[in-house]
Amino acid sequence: MSFTLHHPAIIHEALRQATAFLEEHGIEESRLTGEWLLSHELGCARLELALRHQEPLSPLSNRTFQHRINRAAMGEPVQYILGTAEFMGHAFRVDRRCLIPRPETERLAEWVLGFDPLWNAGDPALADVGTGSGCLAISLALARSKGHYLATDTSAAALALARENAARHGVSARIRFIACDLLSAATPASLAAVVSNPPYIRTTDWARLDRNVRNFEPCAALVGGPDGLTIIRRLMTQALQALKPGGVFFLEIGADQGAAVLELAQAAGFRESQLRPDLAGKDRMVRAVK
Ligand SMILES: C[S@@+](CC[C@H](N)C(=O)[O-])C[C@H]1O[C@@H](n2cnc3c(N)ncnc32)[C@H](O)[C@@H]1O
C-alpha cells in the first residue's frame, strides 16, 4: 500500500499522516523524517513547519512529498532521497554512488585540521584515499587555503560525484581525482599527509547492519574483509611509502580495531602512532607519523 495524501492537505495533517505511515513501515524517527522531507520541499527550516501548520500544500508539493514518503517507507536514507548531506557545515550532493558522510568522519577532519605542523609547512600535498562523495578532501580544502590533494577511489561513479562536489564548492583546481587502488597512483615519498575513511566493517557484520545501510549504501564502501582490516593492512604499507619522512597518516577505524591497527602501524614502520576517541568515548581514529 502506498502513501497518498488527499488534496488540499494542510501541513499539520500531511505530517500526521506521513508519520503514521512511516511508523507502520517500521521507520525510526518517523516524525523527524517527515519533517525533514517536508521542510526541504517547502524550502523552510524544520521548526518553521509548526508556525505554518495550517498552510495547505500546493498540488506539486503534495505529489513530491507523497513520493518521498514512499521512498522513506522503503528504508531509503533521507540524504539519498533529498540528494544532499551535510559535512563540516557544507552541503554535498549524495546518491547511491557514494557513502553518506558520517559525523565520526567530521571528527577525523577536525583532527587533521588541528595538526599544525601540516599546515605550517608551505603548500602541503595530501591524499584522501577512498574519497566517496569527496567530503574529506573538499572540506579540508575549504577550511585551509593552503594544500593540494590527490583523491582516489576505485569507484568511477563515486569519483564523478566527488568531482561534481568539488566544482560546486570551487576547489576543483586543488584536487586531482584519480580512479585507482588506494595510493597506487601516488609518487613515493611525495605526500605530507594521507587521510582515509576506508571500508573497515567485517564481512560477517554486513548482514547485521541497519537495512537502510545494507539496502542502499555501497557495500564496497563499507566492507573490509573477514576481520575488517584487509584494506587497512594494504593502505598502511602504501601510506608509509607515499609519505615523506615526518609525513602523517590519519585513519578512521572501527570501535574495536584500535589495538590491532596500532600494531599494524608499528609493524609497517611508522614511528609513532596514537588513537583518538569520538564523542562517545570510543577509539575511532588513528594518527601515525612516518
Ligand atoms: C567508507 S567510504 C568513505 C567515503 C568518504 N571518504 C567518506 O568519508 O564519507 C570508503 C570509500 O573507499 C572506496 N574504496 C574501496 N576500496 C578501495 C580501494 N581499494 N582503493 C580506493 N578506494 C576504495 C569506496 O568506493 C568508498 O568510496
Short mmCIF file of all heavy atoms in Angstrom, two decimals, residues 99-101 105 128-133 135-136 152-155 158 180-182 197-199 220-221 231 234, ligand 1:
data_model
loop_
_atom_site.label_atom_id
_atom_site.label_comp_id
_atom_site.label_asym_id
_atom_site.label_seq_id
_atom_site.Cartn_x
_atom_site.Cartn_y
_atom_site.Cartn_z
N LEU A 99 28.99 6.64 -0.22
CA LEU A 99 28.58 6.53 1.17
C LEU A 99 28.04 7.90 1.63
O LEU A 99 28.54 8.93 1.20
CB LEU A 99 29.80 6.17 2.02
CG LEU A 99 29.52 5.85 3.48
CD1 LEU A 99 29.22 4.36 3.62
CD2 LEU A 99 30.68 6.21 4.37
N ILE A 100 27.05 7.89 2.51
CA ILE A 100 26.59 9.15 3.11
C ILE A 100 27.63 9.56 4.16
O ILE A 100 27.97 8.76 5.04
CB ILE A 100 25.21 8.96 3.77
CG1 ILE A 100 24.17 8.59 2.71
CG2 ILE A 100 24.79 10.23 4.52
CD1 ILE A 100 22.85 8.11 3.28
N PRO A 101 28.19 10.76 4.07
CA PRO A 101 29.19 11.18 5.06
C PRO A 101 28.64 11.10 6.47
O PRO A 101 27.47 11.42 6.71
CB PRO A 101 29.49 12.63 4.67
CG PRO A 101 29.06 12.76 3.26
CD PRO A 101 27.93 11.80 3.06
N THR A 105 33.36 10.95 10.84
CA THR A 105 34.38 11.36 9.88
C THR A 105 34.65 12.86 9.99
O THR A 105 35.76 13.32 9.70
CB THR A 105 33.93 10.95 8.45
OG1 THR A 105 33.49 9.59 8.50
CG2 THR A 105 35.07 11.06 7.46
N ASP A 128 43.46 11.88 -0.05
CA ASP A 128 42.23 11.37 0.58
C ASP A 128 41.94 10.04 -0.12
O ASP A 128 41.59 10.03 -1.30
CB ASP A 128 41.10 12.39 0.37
CG ASP A 128 39.73 11.84 0.77
OD1 ASP A 128 39.66 10.81 1.46
OD2 ASP A 128 38.72 12.47 0.37
N VAL A 129 42.14 8.96 0.61
CA VAL A 129 42.01 7.63 -0.01
C VAL A 129 40.60 7.08 0.23
O VAL A 129 40.17 6.97 1.37
CB VAL A 129 43.07 6.66 0.56
CG1 VAL A 129 42.94 5.29 -0.09
CG2 VAL A 129 44.46 7.23 0.36
N GLY A 130 39.92 6.73 -0.86
CA GLY A 130 38.52 6.28 -0.77
C GLY A 130 37.65 7.51 -0.57
O GLY A 130 36.91 7.62 0.41
N THR A 131 37.71 8.42 -1.52
CA THR A 131 37.13 9.76 -1.32
C THR A 131 35.60 9.76 -1.32
O THR A 131 34.97 10.65 -0.76
CB THR A 131 37.72 10.74 -2.36
OG1 THR A 131 37.44 12.07 -1.96
CG2 THR A 131 37.16 10.51 -3.76
N GLY A 132 34.96 8.78 -1.98
CA GLY A 132 33.49 8.72 -2.00
C GLY A 132 32.89 10.00 -2.56
O GLY A 132 33.19 10.41 -3.68
N SER A 133 32.09 10.68 -1.75
CA SER A 133 31.47 11.96 -2.17
C SER A 133 32.50 13.08 -2.29
O SER A 133 32.17 14.17 -2.77
CB SER A 133 30.43 12.38 -1.14
OG SER A 133 31.06 12.58 0.13
N CYS A 135 33.89 14.30 0.42
CA CYS A 135 33.64 15.18 1.57
C CYS A 135 34.90 15.54 2.35
O CYS A 135 35.04 16.69 2.79
CB CYS A 135 32.58 14.58 2.49
SG CYS A 135 33.04 12.98 3.19
N LEU A 136 35.84 14.58 2.52
CA LEU A 136 37.04 14.89 3.32
C LEU A 136 37.95 15.88 2.58
O LEU A 136 38.26 16.94 3.11
CB LEU A 136 37.80 13.60 3.63
CG LEU A 136 37.40 12.86 4.91
CD1 LEU A 136 38.06 11.49 4.98
CD2 LEU A 136 37.75 13.67 6.16
N THR A 152 41.52 9.56 -4.26
CA THR A 152 41.40 8.32 -5.04
C THR A 152 40.16 7.54 -4.64
O THR A 152 39.66 7.65 -3.52
CB THR A 152 42.63 7.41 -4.83
OG1 THR A 152 42.56 6.82 -3.52
CG2 THR A 152 43.93 8.16 -4.99
N ASP A 153 39.70 6.73 -5.57
CA ASP A 153 38.62 5.78 -5.28
C ASP A 153 38.64 4.74 -6.41
O ASP A 153 39.05 5.04 -7.52
CB ASP A 153 37.25 6.48 -5.25
CG ASP A 153 36.28 5.77 -4.31
OD1 ASP A 153 35.90 4.61 -4.63
OD2 ASP A 153 35.91 6.33 -3.26
N THR A 154 38.22 3.53 -6.09
CA THR A 154 38.11 2.52 -7.15
C THR A 154 36.77 2.66 -7.88
O THR A 154 36.59 2.08 -8.95
CB THR A 154 38.19 1.08 -6.56
OG1 THR A 154 37.48 1.07 -5.34
CG2 THR A 154 39.62 0.65 -6.33
N SER A 155 35.85 3.41 -7.31
CA SER A 155 34.54 3.57 -7.93
C SER A 155 34.54 4.81 -8.83
O SER A 155 34.58 5.95 -8.35
CB SER A 155 33.46 3.71 -6.84
OG SER A 155 32.30 4.26 -7.40
N ALA A 158 31.55 7.02 -7.96
CA ALA A 158 31.74 7.90 -6.81
C ALA A 158 32.63 9.08 -7.20
O ALA A 158 32.36 10.23 -6.81
CB ALA A 158 32.36 7.12 -5.64
N CYS A 180 41.89 4.66 -8.86
CA CYS A 180 42.99 3.70 -8.67
C CYS A 180 42.80 2.97 -7.35
O CYS A 180 41.98 3.38 -6.52
CB CYS A 180 44.36 4.40 -8.70
SG CYS A 180 44.69 5.39 -7.25
N ASP A 181 43.58 1.92 -7.18
CA ASP A 181 43.55 1.18 -5.92
C ASP A 181 44.34 1.96 -4.88
O ASP A 181 45.53 2.26 -5.10
CB ASP A 181 44.16 -0.21 -6.16
CG ASP A 181 44.21 -1.01 -4.87
OD1 ASP A 181 43.18 -1.09 -4.18
OD2 ASP A 181 45.29 -1.54 -4.54
N LEU A 182 43.71 2.33 -3.79
CA LEU A 182 44.34 3.02 -2.65
C LEU A 182 45.29 4.13 -3.12
O LEU A 182 44.86 5.09 -3.75
CB LEU A 182 45.03 2.00 -1.75
CG LEU A 182 44.07 0.90 -1.22
CD1 LEU A 182 44.82 -0.11 -0.35
CD2 LEU A 182 42.90 1.48 -0.46
N ASN A 197 39.04 7.37 5.28
CA ASN A 197 37.97 6.64 5.95
C ASN A 197 37.71 5.43 5.06
O ASN A 197 36.88 5.47 4.17
CB ASN A 197 36.72 7.53 6.06
CG ASN A 197 35.51 6.74 6.53
OD1 ASN A 197 35.64 5.67 7.12
ND2 ASN A 197 34.32 7.26 6.27
N PRO A 198 38.46 4.35 5.28
CA PRO A 198 38.38 3.20 4.35
C PRO A 198 37.25 2.25 4.74
O PRO A 198 36.67 2.39 5.82
CB PRO A 198 39.74 2.52 4.59
CG PRO A 198 39.99 2.75 6.05
CD PRO A 198 39.39 4.09 6.38
N PRO A 199 36.94 1.28 3.90
CA PRO A 199 35.98 0.25 4.33
C PRO A 199 36.62 -0.57 5.45
O PRO A 199 37.74 -1.05 5.28
CB PRO A 199 35.82 -0.62 3.06
CG PRO A 199 36.37 0.19 1.93
CD PRO A 199 37.42 1.07 2.53
N ALA A 220 30.82 -1.98 -1.17
CA ALA A 220 32.28 -1.83 -1.36
C ALA A 220 32.83 -0.64 -0.58
O ALA A 220 34.05 -0.52 -0.38
CB ALA A 220 32.60 -1.67 -2.85
N ALA A 221 31.95 0.27 -0.15
CA ALA A 221 32.42 1.42 0.63
C ALA A 221 32.58 1.05 2.10
O ALA A 221 33.19 1.80 2.86
CB ALA A 221 31.43 2.57 0.49
N ILE A 231 41.76 -3.96 3.88
CA ILE A 231 42.15 -2.74 3.14
C ILE A 231 43.12 -1.91 3.97
O ILE A 231 44.12 -1.39 3.46
CB ILE A 231 40.89 -1.96 2.71
CG1 ILE A 231 40.22 -2.79 1.60
CG2 ILE A 231 41.23 -0.55 2.26
CD1 ILE A 231 39.03 -2.18 0.96
N ARG A 234 46.77 -3.09 3.70
CA ARG A 234 47.45 -2.71 2.46
C ARG A 234 47.71 -1.21 2.43
O ARG A 234 48.75 -0.74 2.00
CB ARG A 234 46.61 -3.11 1.25
CG ARG A 234 46.55 -4.60 1.02
CD ARG A 234 46.13 -4.94 -0.42
NE ARG A 234 44.81 -4.45 -0.78
CZ ARG A 234 44.58 -3.54 -1.72
NH1 ARG A 234 45.57 -3.02 -2.41
NH2 ARG A 234 43.35 -3.14 -1.98
C1 LIG B 1 33.84 4.35 3.92
S1 LIG B 1 33.76 5.01 2.29
C2 LIG B 1 34.38 6.66 2.61
C3 LIG B 1 33.85 7.70 1.68
C4 LIG B 1 34.20 9.13 2.11
N1 LIG B 1 35.62 9.33 2.21
C5 LIG B 1 33.54 9.43 3.45
O1 LIG B 1 34.25 9.50 4.45
O2 LIG B 1 32.32 9.60 3.50
C6 LIG B 1 35.13 4.19 1.54
C7 LIG B 1 35.41 4.55 0.09
O3 LIG B 1 36.57 3.79 -0.32
C8 LIG B 1 36.38 3.35 -1.65
N2 LIG B 1 37.25 2.18 -1.84
C9 LIG B 1 37.04 0.88 -1.51
N3 LIG B 1 38.10 0.12 -1.81
C10 LIG B 1 39.03 0.97 -2.35
C11 LIG B 1 40.35 0.78 -2.86
N4 LIG B 1 40.92 -0.43 -2.89
N5 LIG B 1 41.00 1.85 -3.34
C12 LIG B 1 40.43 3.09 -3.33
N6 LIG B 1 39.18 3.33 -2.85
C13 LIG B 1 38.49 2.28 -2.37
C14 LIG B 1 34.90 3.05 -1.75
O4 LIG B 1 34.47 3.06 -3.10
C15 LIG B 1 34.31 4.19 -0.91
O5 LIG B 1 34.03 5.32 -1.71
#
